[in-house]
Each structure stands twice: as C-alpha cells, then as structure tokens.
Amino acid sequence: MDWPRHIPTLTDQVITLRPFVHDDIGAVLAASQDHATAEFTVVPSPYTEADARDFVEDRSVKVWPGFDVAIVDPDDAFLGVCGLRAKDDDAVTEIGYAVAPWARGAGVATRATRLLIEFSWQIGAVRVELDAYVENKASRAVARKCGFTQEGVLRSAAPGKNGRRHDLVVFGLLKTDEVP
C-alpha cells in the first residue's frame, strides 16, 4: 500500500473528514461523556478535558500505523471521529468510528466509512476490515450498509468497562465485492 505521509482530508460534500485541530477539544470532550460512547469505545471513563486534549494533540499529527480524523459538517461542526489503520503490510486496512450523540441517526458513520473505504482502494488496499461489539446494533448496521460481509464472531475478544468483555462481530470487504 502507498500509505499517506500526511493525514488526508476527504469529503463527499455532506461530511468532511479532516485532521483534528485544537478547537475540537471541547466537542471531543462533550461527545465522550455519552454512555454509548463510553460503552462501545475504549475511551476512559470518566473522560476528562485532559484526555480530550491529549487525544486531539496526539491524533492531529500521527499517521502511521493509522490515523484518526474529525468528522465535520459543511459548517465545520464536529460530528464524530473515525480512523483508518494499516492492518498489516499486505494491503489490509481497518476502519473504526464513533459518532457524537447529537449527530447519530443521520448516516454520518455510513458516509465516513464509505469515504475511508474509497481512500483504502486508492492507496492500494485489497481488503478492508471493520469490527463491532455484538451489542452495538447501529455499528453493525453501518457495516452492512457499506457492503461488508459478516465473517464471524470473536468471543470475549474486546475488553470493556468494569472487567466486562465483549464479543466482536468481524466484517470484511474486498475490493472485488459488489457494494450497494
């Protein structure tokens, strides 16, 4: 794969994926206070302003082995975060996302995932992966809408809060797959 040297900016004219900026700290903090965000992501709980600042500062420049970007609307209002990782050196990427509570139900994660899939093909990926907690129906629905095939369930594969472990549904998409 031809991995980027700088964090890309991608858009479909409805949402934009862009590098984090200092002004995103407050929105990252607010979005991370949500119960679902705490339950279905690896953010610390409680999530503090220092956590948000560290996240934004680290993610605003880190490109390898993956990058995270802010999802914003045409007015640059924060809608969430998504990221792309090089799964290995052999043309496999992995997508992750978390949509802010105030932006859920509007197709934000689906749009962001489609942008990252297209970017993956542009840099030479032949396979894209995505996983979701079994309990996270919305995330699993995004994978299906984007054409991913459910490939299995990894039992007790992800650490959760309070010592709880989660089963992960694993999805894969090949460049040769037909996408809706």
Side-chain angles (χ1 to χ4, degrees):
M1 282 187 298
D2 185 18
W3 199 260
R5 298 185 194 287
H6 304 283
I7 299 172
T9 298
L10 309 169
T11 189
D12 67 1
Q13 308 308 316
V14 174
I15 65 162
T16 297
L17 311 183
R18 61 149 174 80
F20 282 98
V21 296
H22 185 268
D23 288 346
D24 292 327
I25 293 171
V28 168
L29 176 62
S32 298
Q33 302 305 310
D34 173 63
H35 171 73
T37 301
E39 184 64 26
F40 294 132
T41 67
V42 295
V43 299
S45 183
Y47 195 78
T48 67
E49 184 175 350
D51 292 321
R53 185 176 45 259
D54 290 347
F55 177 83
V56 167
E57 289 173 357
D58 180 58
R59 296 318 201 287
S60 65
V61 294
K62 184 179 176 188
V63 178
W64 180 257
F67 59 84
D68 292 301
V69 289
I71 308 169
V72 298
D73 70 11
D75 296 322
D76 205 40
F78 183 85
L79 303 174
V81 56
C82 63
L84 188 69
R85 305 270 173 278
K87 183 81 175 193
D88 60 30
D89 290 334
D90 194 29
V92 178
T93 61
E94 182 176 38
I95 293 173
Y97 44 79
V99 177
W102 55 86
R104 292 186 187 137
V108 170
T110 301
R111 288 179 170 282
T113 299
R114 287 182 175 147
L115 286 168
L116 291 174
I117 290 167
E118 182 57 34
F119 185 74
S120 292
W121 303 151
Q122 290 172 10
I123 63 171
V126 297
R127 175 182 169 83
V128 179
E129 295 180 357
L130 186 153
D131 61 47
Y133 290 3
V134 167
E135 303 95 329
N136 192 340
K137 294 177 184 178
S139 190
R140 292 189 347 252
V142 168
R144 286 189 299 275
K145 288 176 192 172
C146 291
F148 283 86
T149 298
Q150 181 174 323
E151 297 179 331
V153 176
L154 302 176
R155 297 177 302 144
S156 198
K161 306 296 187 245
N162 301 318
R164 181 172 181 231
R165 298 207 51 97
H166 295 273
D167 294 348
L168 286 179
V169 181
V170 178
F171 296 90
L173 180 67
L174 302 179
K175 190 171 183 178
T176 56
D177 289 345
E178 289 187 32
V179 178

